[in-house]
Coordinates of all heavy atoms in Angstrom, one line a residue:
M1 N 40.7 -11.2 -9.6 CA 39.8 -10.6 -10.5 C 38.9 -9.7 -9.7 O 38.2 -10.1 -8.8 CB 39.0 -11.6 -11.3 CG 38.1 -11.0 -12.2 SD 36.8 -12.1 -13.0 CE 37.9 -13.2 -13.9
A2 N 38.8 -8.4 -10.2 CA 37.9 -7.5 -9.5 C 36.4 -7.6 -10.1 O 36.2 -7.9 -11.2 CB 38.3 -6.1 -9.8
H3 N 35.5 -7.5 -9.2 CA 34.1 -7.6 -9.6 C 33.4 -6.2 -9.4 O 33.6 -5.6 -8.4 CB 33.3 -8.6 -8.7 CG 33.8 -10.0 -9.0 ND1 33.4 -10.8 -10.1 CD2 34.7 -10.8 -8.3 CE1 34.0 -11.9 -10.0 NE2 34.7 -12.0 -9.0
D4 N 32.6 -5.9 -10.3 CA 31.8 -4.6 -10.2 C 30.4 -5.0 -9.6 O 29.6 -5.7 -10.2 CB 31.6 -4.0 -11.6 CG 30.8 -2.7 -11.5 OD1 30.4 -2.3 -10.3 OD2 30.6 -2.1 -12.5
N5 N 30.2 -4.7 -8.3 CA 29.0 -5.0 -7.6 C 27.9 -4.0 -7.8 O 26.9 -4.0 -7.1 CB 29.3 -5.3 -6.2 CG 30.1 -6.5 -6.0 OD1 30.0 -7.5 -6.7 ND2 31.0 -6.5 -5.0
T6 N 28.1 -3.0 -8.7 CA 27.1 -2.0 -8.8 C 25.9 -2.5 -9.6 O 26.0 -3.1 -10.7 CB 27.7 -0.8 -9.6 OG1 28.8 -0.3 -8.9 CG2 26.7 0.3 -9.7
L7 N 24.7 -2.3 -9.0 CA 23.5 -2.7 -9.7 C 22.8 -1.5 -10.3 O 22.5 -0.6 -9.5 CB 22.6 -3.4 -8.6 CG 21.2 -3.9 -9.1 CD1 21.3 -4.9 -10.2 CD2 20.4 -4.4 -7.9
D8 N 22.6 -1.5 -11.6 CA 22.0 -0.3 -12.2 C 20.6 -0.7 -12.7 O 20.5 -1.5 -13.6 CB 22.9 0.1 -13.4 CG 22.3 1.4 -14.1 OD1 21.4 2.0 -13.5 OD2 22.9 1.7 -15.1
L9 N 19.6 -0.1 -12.1 CA 18.2 -0.4 -12.4 C 17.6 0.8 -13.1 O 16.4 0.9 -13.1 CB 17.4 -0.8 -11.2 CG 17.9 -2.1 -10.6 CD1 17.1 -2.4 -9.3 CD2 17.8 -3.3 -11.5
T10 N 18.4 1.7 -13.6 CA 17.9 2.9 -14.2 C 17.0 2.6 -15.3 O 17.2 1.7 -16.1 CB 19.1 3.8 -14.7 OG1 20.0 4.1 -13.7 CG2 18.6 5.1 -15.4
D11 N 15.8 3.3 -15.4 CA 14.8 3.1 -16.4 C 14.0 1.8 -16.3 O 13.3 1.4 -17.2 CB 15.3 3.2 -17.8 CG 15.9 4.6 -18.1 OD1 15.3 5.6 -17.6 OD2 16.9 4.7 -18.8
K12 N 14.2 1.1 -15.2 CA 13.5 -0.1 -14.9 C 12.3 0.2 -13.9 O 12.4 1.2 -13.2 CB 14.3 -1.2 -14.2 CG 15.5 -1.6 -15.0 CD 15.1 -2.4 -16.2 CE 16.3 -2.9 -17.0 NZ 16.0 -3.4 -18.3
V13 N 11.3 -0.6 -14.0 CA 10.1 -0.4 -13.1 C 9.9 -1.7 -12.3 O 9.8 -2.8 -12.8 CB 8.8 -0.1 -14.0 CG1 7.6 0.0 -13.0 CG2 9.0 1.1 -14.8
A14 N 9.8 -1.5 -11.0 CA 9.6 -2.6 -10.1 C 8.3 -2.4 -9.4 O 7.9 -1.4 -8.9 CB 10.8 -2.6 -9.0
L15 N 7.6 -3.5 -9.3 CA 6.3 -3.6 -8.6 C 6.6 -4.4 -7.3 O 7.0 -5.5 -7.4 CB 5.2 -4.2 -9.4 CG 3.8 -4.2 -8.9 CD1 2.9 -4.3 -10.1 CD2 3.5 -5.2 -7.8
I16 N 6.4 -3.7 -6.2 CA 6.7 -4.3 -4.9 C 5.4 -4.5 -4.1 O 4.8 -3.5 -3.7 CB 7.7 -3.5 -4.0 CG1 8.9 -3.0 -4.9 CG2 8.1 -4.2 -2.8 CD1 9.8 -4.1 -5.4
T17 N 5.1 -5.7 -3.7 CA 3.9 -6.0 -2.9 C 4.4 -6.0 -1.5 O 5.5 -6.3 -1.2 CB 3.2 -7.2 -3.3 OG1 4.1 -8.4 -3.2 CG2 2.7 -7.2 -4.7
G18 N 3.5 -5.8 -0.5 CA 3.8 -5.8 0.9 C 4.8 -4.7 1.2 O 5.7 -4.8 2.1
A19 N 4.7 -3.5 0.5 CA 5.7 -2.5 0.5 C 5.5 -1.5 1.6 O 6.3 -0.5 1.7 CB 5.7 -1.8 -0.9
S20 N 4.5 -1.6 2.4 CA 4.3 -0.6 3.4 C 5.1 -0.7 4.7 O 5.2 0.2 5.5 CB 2.8 -0.6 3.8 OG 2.5 -1.8 4.5
R21 N 5.8 -1.8 4.8 CA 6.7 -2.0 6.0 C 7.6 -3.2 5.8 O 7.5 -3.9 4.8 CB 5.9 -2.2 7.2 CG 5.0 -3.4 7.2 CD 4.0 -3.4 8.4 NE 3.1 -4.5 8.2 CZ 2.9 -5.4 9.1 NH1 3.6 -5.4 10.2 NH2 2.1 -6.4 8.9
G22 N 8.5 -3.3 6.7 CA 9.4 -4.5 6.8 C 10.2 -4.8 5.5 O 10.8 -3.9 4.9
I23 N 10.3 -6.0 5.2 CA 11.1 -6.5 4.0 C 10.6 -5.8 2.7 O 11.4 -5.4 1.9 CB 11.1 -8.0 3.9 CG1 11.8 -8.6 5.1 CG2 11.8 -8.4 2.6 CD1 11.7 -10.1 5.2
G24 N 9.3 -5.7 2.5 CA 8.8 -5.1 1.3 C 9.3 -3.7 1.1 O 9.7 -3.2 0.1
K25 N 9.2 -2.9 2.2 CA 9.6 -1.5 2.2 C 11.1 -1.4 2.0 O 11.6 -0.6 1.2 CB 9.3 -0.9 3.6 CG 9.6 0.6 3.7 CD 9.2 1.2 5.0 CE 9.7 2.6 5.2 NZ 9.2 3.1 6.5
A26 N 11.9 -2.3 2.6 CA 13.4 -2.3 2.4 C 13.7 -2.7 0.9 O 14.6 -2.1 0.4 CB 14.0 -3.3 3.3
I27 N 13.0 -3.6 0.4 CA 13.2 -4.0 -1.0 C 12.9 -2.8 -1.9 O 13.6 -2.5 -2.9 CB 12.4 -5.2 -1.4 CG1 13.0 -6.4 -0.7 CG2 12.4 -5.4 -3.0 CD1 12.1 -7.7 -0.8
A28 N 11.8 -2.1 -1.7 CA 11.4 -0.9 -2.5 C 12.5 0.1 -2.4 O 12.9 0.7 -3.4 CB 10.1 -0.4 -2.0
Y29 N 13.0 0.4 -1.2 CA 14.1 1.3 -1.0 C 15.3 0.9 -1.8 O 15.9 1.7 -2.6 CB 14.5 1.5 0.4 CG 15.7 2.4 0.6 CD1 15.6 3.8 0.5 CD2 17.0 1.8 0.8 CE1 16.7 4.6 0.5 CE2 18.1 2.6 0.9 CZ 18.0 4.0 0.7 OH 19.1 4.8 0.8
A30 N 15.7 -0.4 -1.7 CA 16.9 -0.9 -2.4 C 16.8 -0.7 -3.9 O 17.7 -0.3 -4.6 CB 17.2 -2.3 -2.0
F31 N 15.6 -1.1 -4.5 CA 15.4 -1.0 -5.9 C 15.5 0.4 -6.3 O 16.1 0.8 -7.3 CB 14.1 -1.6 -6.3 CG 14.1 -3.1 -6.5 CD1 14.6 -4.0 -5.6 CD2 13.6 -3.6 -7.7 CE1 14.6 -5.3 -5.8 CE2 13.6 -5.0 -8.0 CZ 14.1 -5.9 -7.0
G32 N 14.8 1.3 -5.6 CA 14.8 2.7 -5.9 C 16.2 3.3 -5.8 O 16.6 4.2 -6.6
H33 N 16.9 2.9 -4.8 CA 18.3 3.4 -4.5 C 19.2 3.1 -5.7 O 20.1 3.9 -6.1 CB 18.9 2.8 -3.3 CG 20.3 3.2 -3.0 ND1 20.7 4.4 -2.6 CD2 21.4 2.4 -3.1 CE1 22.0 4.4 -2.4 NE2 22.5 3.3 -2.8
H34 N 18.9 2.0 -6.4 CA 19.7 1.6 -7.6 C 19.1 2.1 -8.9 O 19.5 1.6 -10.0 CB 19.8 0.1 -7.6 CG 20.8 -0.4 -6.5 ND1 22.1 -0.3 -6.6 CD2 20.5 -1.0 -5.3 CE1 22.7 -0.8 -5.5 NE2 21.7 -1.2 -4.7
G35 N 18.1 3.0 -8.8 CA 17.6 3.7 -10.0 C 16.3 3.3 -10.5 O 15.7 3.9 -11.4
A36 N 15.6 2.3 -9.9 CA 14.3 1.8 -10.4 C 13.2 2.8 -10.0 O 13.3 3.4 -8.9 CB 14.0 0.4 -9.9
K37 N 12.2 2.9 -10.8 CA 11.0 3.5 -10.4 C 10.2 2.4 -9.7 O 10.2 1.3 -10.2 CB 10.2 4.0 -11.6 CG 11.0 5.1 -12.4 CD 10.3 5.3 -13.7 CE 11.1 6.2 -14.6 NZ 10.6 6.4 -15.9
V38 N 9.5 2.7 -8.6 CA 8.9 1.7 -7.9 C 7.4 2.0 -7.7 O 7.0 3.1 -7.4 CB 9.5 1.4 -6.5 CG1 10.9 0.8 -6.6 CG2 9.6 2.7 -5.7
L39 N 6.6 0.9 -7.9 CA 5.2 1.0 -7.7 C 5.0 0.1 -6.4 O 5.3 -1.1 -6.4 CB 4.4 0.4 -8.9 CG 2.9 0.3 -8.7 CD1 2.3 1.8 -8.5 CD2 2.2 -0.3 -9.9
L40 N 4.5 0.8 -5.4 CA 4.3 0.2 -4.1 C 2.9 -0.3 -3.9 O 2.0 0.4 -4.3 CB 4.6 1.2 -3.0 CG 5.9 2.0 -3.2 CD1 5.9 3.2 -2.2 CD2 7.1 1.1 -2.9
S41 N 2.8 -1.5 -3.3 CA 1.4 -2.0 -3.1 C 1.4 -2.6 -1.7 O 2.3 -3.2 -1.2 CB 1.1 -3.1 -4.1 OG -0.3 -3.5 -3.9
S42 N 0.2 -2.4 -1.1 CA -0.1 -3.0 0.2 C -1.6 -2.9 0.3 O -2.3 -2.3 -0.6 CB 0.6 -2.3 1.3 OG 0.4 -2.9 2.5
R43 N -2.2 -3.4 1.4 CA -3.7 -3.4 1.5 C -4.2 -2.0 1.8 O -5.4 -1.7 1.5 CB -4.1 -4.3 2.6 CG -3.9 -5.8 2.2 CD -4.5 -6.7 3.2 NE -4.2 -8.1 2.9 CZ -4.7 -9.1 3.5 NH1 -5.7 -8.9 4.4 NH2 -4.4 -10.3 3.1
K44 N -3.4 -1.1 2.4 CA -3.9 0.2 2.8 C -3.3 1.3 2.0 O -2.1 1.5 2.0 CB -3.7 0.4 4.3 CG -4.5 -0.6 5.1 CD -4.4 -0.3 6.6 CE -5.0 -1.4 7.3 NZ -6.2 -1.3 8.0
Q45 N -4.1 2.1 1.3 CA -3.6 3.2 0.5 C -2.7 4.2 1.3 O -1.7 4.7 0.9 CB -4.8 4.0 -0.2 CG -4.3 5.0 -1.2 CD -3.6 4.4 -2.4 OE1 -4.1 3.4 -3.0 NE2 -2.4 4.9 -2.7
E46 N -3.2 4.6 2.5 CA -2.5 5.5 3.3 C -1.1 5.0 3.6 O -0.1 5.8 3.7 CB -3.2 5.8 4.7 CG -4.6 6.3 4.5 CD -5.6 5.2 4.3 OE1 -5.4 4.0 4.6 OE2 -6.7 5.5 3.7
A47 N -0.9 3.7 3.8 CA 0.4 3.2 4.2 C 1.4 3.3 3.0 O 2.5 3.7 3.2 CB 0.2 1.7 4.6
V48 N 0.9 2.9 1.8 CA 1.8 3.0 0.6 C 2.0 4.4 0.2 O 3.1 4.7 -0.3 CB 1.3 2.1 -0.6 CG1 1.5 0.6 -0.3 CG2 -0.1 2.4 -1.0
D49 N 1.1 5.3 0.4 CA 1.3 6.7 0.2 C 2.4 7.3 1.1 O 3.3 8.0 0.6 CB 0.0 7.5 0.4 CG -1.0 7.3 -0.7 OD1 -0.6 6.8 -1.8 OD2 -2.2 7.7 -0.5
A50 N 2.4 6.9 2.3 CA 3.4 7.3 3.3 C 4.8 6.9 2.8 O 5.8 7.6 2.9 CB 3.1 6.9 4.7
V51 N 4.9 5.6 2.4 CA 6.2 5.1 2.0 C 6.6 5.8 0.7 O 7.8 6.1 0.5 CB 6.1 3.5 1.8 CG1 7.4 3.0 1.2 CG2 5.9 2.9 3.1
A52 N 5.7 6.1 -0.2 CA 6.1 6.8 -1.5 C 6.7 8.1 -1.1 O 7.6 8.6 -1.8 CB 4.8 6.9 -2.4
V53 N 6.1 8.8 -0.2 CA 6.6 10.2 0.2 C 8.0 10.0 0.8 O 8.9 10.8 0.5 CB 5.6 10.8 1.2 CG1 6.2 12.0 1.9 CG2 4.3 11.2 0.5
E54 N 8.1 9.0 1.7 CA 9.4 8.8 2.3 C 10.5 8.5 1.3 O 11.6 9.0 1.3 CB 9.3 7.6 3.3 CG 10.5 7.3 4.1 CD 10.3 6.1 5.1 OE1 9.1 5.9 5.5 OE2 11.3 5.5 5.4
L55 N 10.2 7.6 0.3 CA 11.2 7.3 -0.7 C 11.4 8.5 -1.6 O 12.6 8.7 -2.0 CB 10.7 6.1 -1.6 CG 10.5 4.8 -0.8 CD1 10.1 3.7 -1.8 CD2 11.8 4.3 -0.2
G56 N 10.4 9.3 -1.9 CA 10.6 10.5 -2.6 C 11.5 11.5 -2.0 O 12.3 12.2 -2.7
A57 N 11.6 11.5 -0.7 CA 12.6 12.4 0.0 C 14.0 12.0 -0.3 O 14.9 12.8 -0.2 CB 12.3 12.3 1.5
Y58 N 14.2 10.7 -0.8 CA 15.5 10.2 -1.2 C 15.8 10.4 -2.7 O 16.7 9.8 -3.2 CB 15.7 8.8 -0.8 CG 15.8 8.6 0.7 CD1 14.7 8.1 1.4 CD2 17.0 8.8 1.4 CE1 14.8 7.9 2.8 CE2 17.1 8.6 2.8 CZ 16.0 8.2 3.5 OH 16.1 8.0 4.8
G59 N 14.8 11.0 -3.4 CA 14.9 11.1 -4.8 C 14.5 9.9 -5.6 O 14.7 9.8 -6.8
I60 N 13.7 9.0 -5.0 CA 13.3 7.8 -5.6 C 11.8 8.1 -6.1 O 11.0 8.6 -5.4 CB 13.2 6.6 -4.6 CG1 14.7 6.3 -4.2 CG2 12.5 5.4 -5.2 CD1 14.7 5.4 -3.0
E61 N 11.6 7.8 -7.4 CA 10.3 7.9 -8.0 C 9.4 6.7 -7.6 O 9.7 5.6 -7.9 CB 10.4 8.0 -9.5 CG 9.0 8.3 -10.1 CD 9.1 8.6 -11.6 OE1 10.2 8.7 -12.2 OE2 8.0 8.6 -12.3
A62 N 8.4 7.0 -6.8 CA 7.6 5.9 -6.2 C 6.1 6.4 -6.2 O 5.8 7.5 -6.0 CB 8.0 5.6 -4.8
R63 N 5.3 5.4 -6.5 CA 3.8 5.6 -6.5 C 3.2 4.4 -5.7 O 3.8 3.3 -5.7 CB 3.2 5.6 -7.9 CG 3.8 6.6 -8.8 CD 3.3 8.0 -8.5 NE 3.7 8.9 -9.6 CZ 5.0 9.4 -9.6 NH1 5.9 9.1 -8.8 NH2 5.3 10.3 -10.6
G64 N 2.1 4.7 -5.0 CA 1.5 3.6 -4.2 C 0.1 3.4 -4.7 O -0.6 4.3 -5.1
I65 N -0.3 2.1 -4.6 CA -1.7 1.7 -4.9 C -2.1 0.6 -4.0 O -1.3 -0.4 -3.9 CB -1.9 1.4 -6.4 CG1 -3.4 1.2 -6.7 CG2 -1.1 0.3 -6.9 CD1 -3.8 1.2 -8.1
A66 N -3.2 0.7 -3.4 CA -3.7 -0.3 -2.5 C -4.2 -1.5 -3.3 O -4.9 -1.3 -4.3 CB -4.8 0.2 -1.6
A67 N -3.8 -2.7 -2.9 CA -4.3 -3.9 -3.6 C -4.2 -5.1 -2.7 O -3.2 -5.2 -2.0 CB -3.5 -4.2 -4.9
H68 N -5.2 -6.0 -2.7 CA -5.2 -7.2 -2.0 C -4.8 -8.3 -3.0 O -5.5 -8.5 -4.0 CB -6.5 -7.5 -1.4 CG -6.6 -8.7 -0.5 ND1 -6.4 -10.0 -1.0 CD2 -6.8 -8.8 0.8 CE1 -6.6 -10.8 0.0 NE2 -6.8 -10.1 1.1
M69 N -3.7 -9.0 -2.7 CA -3.1 -10.0 -3.7 C -4.0 -11.2 -3.7 O -3.8 -12.0 -4.6 CB -1.7 -10.4 -3.3 CG -0.7 -9.2 -3.5 SD -0.6 -8.6 -5.2 CE -1.6 -7.2 -5.2
G70 N -5.0 -11.4 -2.9 CA -5.9 -12.5 -2.9 C -7.1 -12.2 -3.8 O -8.0 -13.1 -4.0
E71 N -7.2 -11.0 -4.3 CA -8.4 -10.6 -5.1 C -7.9 -10.3 -6.6 O -7.2 -9.4 -6.8 CB -9.0 -9.3 -4.5 CG -9.5 -9.5 -3.1 CD -10.7 -10.4 -3.0 OE1 -11.5 -10.5 -4.0 OE2 -10.8 -11.0 -1.9
H72 N -8.4 -11.1 -7.5 CA -8.0 -11.0 -8.9 C -8.3 -9.6 -9.4 O -7.4 -9.1 -10.2 CB -8.8 -12.0 -9.8 CG -8.4 -12.0 -11.2 ND1 -9.0 -11.2 -12.1 CD2 -7.4 -12.7 -11.9 CE1 -8.4 -11.3 -13.3 NE2 -7.5 -12.2 -13.2
E73 N -9.4 -9.0 -9.1 CA -9.7 -7.6 -9.6 C -8.7 -6.6 -9.1 O -8.3 -5.7 -9.8 CB -11.1 -7.2 -9.1 CG -12.2 -8.0 -9.8 CD -13.6 -7.7 -9.2 OE1 -13.7 -6.9 -8.3 OE2 -14.5 -8.3 -9.7
N74 N -8.2 -6.8 -7.8 CA -7.2 -5.9 -7.3 C -5.9 -6.0 -8.0 O -5.2 -5.1 -8.3 CB -7.0 -6.2 -5.8 CG -8.0 -5.6 -4.9 OD1 -7.8 -5.3 -3.7 ND2 -9.2 -5.3 -5.4
I75 N -5.5 -7.3 -8.3 CA -4.3 -7.5 -9.1 C -4.4 -6.9 -10.4 O -3.4 -6.3 -10.9 CB -4.0 -9.1 -9.1 CG1 -3.8 -9.6 -7.7 CG2 -2.8 -9.3 -10.0 CD1 -3.8 -11.1 -7.7
Q76 N -5.5 -7.1 -11.1 CA -5.6 -6.5 -12.4 C -5.5 -4.9 -12.4 O -4.9 -4.3 -13.2 CB -7.0 -6.9 -13.1 CG -7.1 -6.4 -14.5 CD -6.0 -7.0 -15.4 OE1 -5.8 -8.2 -15.5 NE2 -5.3 -6.1 -16.1
Q77 N -6.2 -4.3 -11.4 CA -6.1 -2.9 -11.2 C -4.6 -2.4 -11.0 O -4.2 -1.4 -11.5 CB -7.0 -2.4 -10.0 CG -8.4 -2.5 -10.3 CD -9.3 -2.3 -9.1 OE1 -8.8 -2.2 -8.0 NE2 -10.6 -2.1 -9.4
L78 N -3.9 -3.2 -10.2 CA -2.5 -2.9 -10.0 C -1.7 -3.0 -11.3 O -0.9 -2.1 -11.5 CB -1.9 -3.9 -8.9 CG -0.5 -3.7 -8.5 CD1 -0.3 -2.3 -7.8 CD2 -0.1 -4.8 -7.5
V79 N -1.9 -4.0 -12.0 CA -1.2 -4.1 -13.3 C -1.6 -3.0 -14.3 O -0.7 -2.3 -14.9 CB -1.5 -5.5 -14.0 CG1 -0.9 -5.5 -15.4 CG2 -0.9 -6.6 -13.1
D80 N -2.9 -2.7 -14.3 CA -3.4 -1.6 -15.2 C -2.7 -0.2 -14.7 O -2.3 0.6 -15.6 CB -4.9 -1.4 -15.1 CG -5.6 -2.6 -15.7 OD1 -5.0 -3.4 -16.5 OD2 -6.8 -2.7 -15.5
H81 N -2.6 0.0 -13.4 CA -2.0 1.2 -12.9 C -0.5 1.3 -13.3 O 0.0 2.3 -13.7 CB -2.2 1.3 -11.4 CG -1.7 2.6 -10.8 ND1 -2.5 3.7 -10.8 CD2 -0.6 2.9 -10.2 CE1 -1.9 4.7 -10.2 NE2 -0.7 4.2 -9.9
A82 N 0.2 0.2 -13.2 CA 1.6 0.1 -13.6 C 1.7 0.5 -15.1 O 2.7 1.2 -15.5 CB 2.2 -1.3 -13.3
M83 N 0.8 0.0 -15.9 CA 0.9 0.2 -17.4 C 0.6 1.7 -17.6 O 1.3 2.3 -18.4 CB -0.2 -0.6 -18.1 CG 0.1 -2.1 -18.1 SD 1.7 -2.5 -18.8 CE 1.4 -2.2 -20.5
E84 N -0.4 2.3 -16.9 CA -0.7 3.7 -17.1 C 0.4 4.6 -16.6 O 0.8 5.6 -17.2 CB -2.0 4.0 -16.4 CG -3.2 3.4 -17.1 CD -4.5 3.5 -16.3 OE1 -4.5 4.3 -15.3 OE2 -5.5 2.8 -16.6
E85 N 0.9 4.3 -15.4 CA 1.8 5.2 -14.7 C 3.2 5.1 -15.3 O 3.9 6.1 -15.5 CB 1.8 4.9 -13.2 CG 2.6 5.8 -12.4 CD 1.9 7.2 -12.2 OE1 0.7 7.2 -12.2 OE2 2.6 8.2 -12.0
F86 N 3.7 3.9 -15.6 CA 5.1 3.7 -15.9 C 5.3 3.0 -17.3 O 6.4 2.7 -17.7 CB 5.8 2.8 -14.8 CG 5.9 3.5 -13.5 CD1 5.3 3.0 -12.4 CD2 6.6 4.7 -13.4 CE1 5.4 3.6 -11.1 CE2 6.7 5.3 -12.1 CZ 6.1 4.8 -11.0
G87 N 4.2 2.6 -17.9 CA 4.3 1.9 -19.2 C 4.6 0.4 -19.1 O 4.9 -0.2 -20.1
G88 N 4.6 -0.1 -17.9 CA 4.8 -1.6 -17.7 C 5.6 -1.8 -16.5 O 5.8 -1.0 -15.7
V89 N 6.0 -3.1 -16.4 CA 6.8 -3.5 -15.2 C 8.0 -4.4 -15.7 O 7.8 -5.2 -16.6 CB 6.0 -4.4 -14.2 CG1 6.8 -4.9 -13.1 CG2 4.8 -3.5 -13.7
D90 N 9.1 -4.2 -15.2 CA 10.3 -5.0 -15.5 C 10.4 -6.1 -14.5 O 10.8 -7.0 -14.2 CB 11.6 -4.2 -15.5 CG 11.5 -3.2 -16.6 OD1 11.5 -3.5 -17.8 OD2 11.5 -2.0 -16.3

């Protein structure tokens, strides 16, 4: 039996924390490569902006917002940004 291993995330929105490098950045690329819009988060705005630009060069719609996951206010701002920018998160 043949299996279709294609992952279609078109019109989905992914919020990726720790997205400025390493595994988080790779996950953001993979989700975007499969069609998702990605909201990137890390502690430093400059770092997520750079990744957003990098992903944009591959045609991936990406936005970055700095947030510390240990701070409730930062998490709320991240969620609010996702709602404003993309209408929610899948």
Side-chain angles (χ1 to χ4, degrees):
M1 176 191 301
H3 294 280
D4 182 0
N5 291 328
T6 303
L7 178 61
D8 184 9
L9 298 175
T10 303
D11 297 324
K12 301 293 183 187
V13 176
L15 190 156
I16 313 294
T17 60
S20 65
R21 60 191 175 121
I23 293 171
K25 181 178 173 181
I27 291 169
Y29 172 80
F31 275 54
H33 176 74
H34 289 284
K37 299 171 187 170
V38 292
L39 180 59
L40 312 165
S41 183
S42 187
R43 291 185 185 195
K44 298 187 189 246
Q45 187 66 48
E46 302 82 23
V48 288
D49 286 345
V51 174
V53 168
E54 186 178 333
L55 296 180
Y58 291 102
I60 296 168
E61 188 173 348
R63 303 286 185 280
I65 185 167
H68 184 293
M69 294 297 99
E71 301 290 333
H72 183 273
E73 292 172 0
N74 281 203
I75 295 168
Q76 187 61 55
Q77 289 171 350
L78 183 59
V79 171
D80 292 345
H81 188 82
M83 295 299 291
E84 291 170 13
E85 189 74 28
F86 295 118
V89 176
D90 295 293

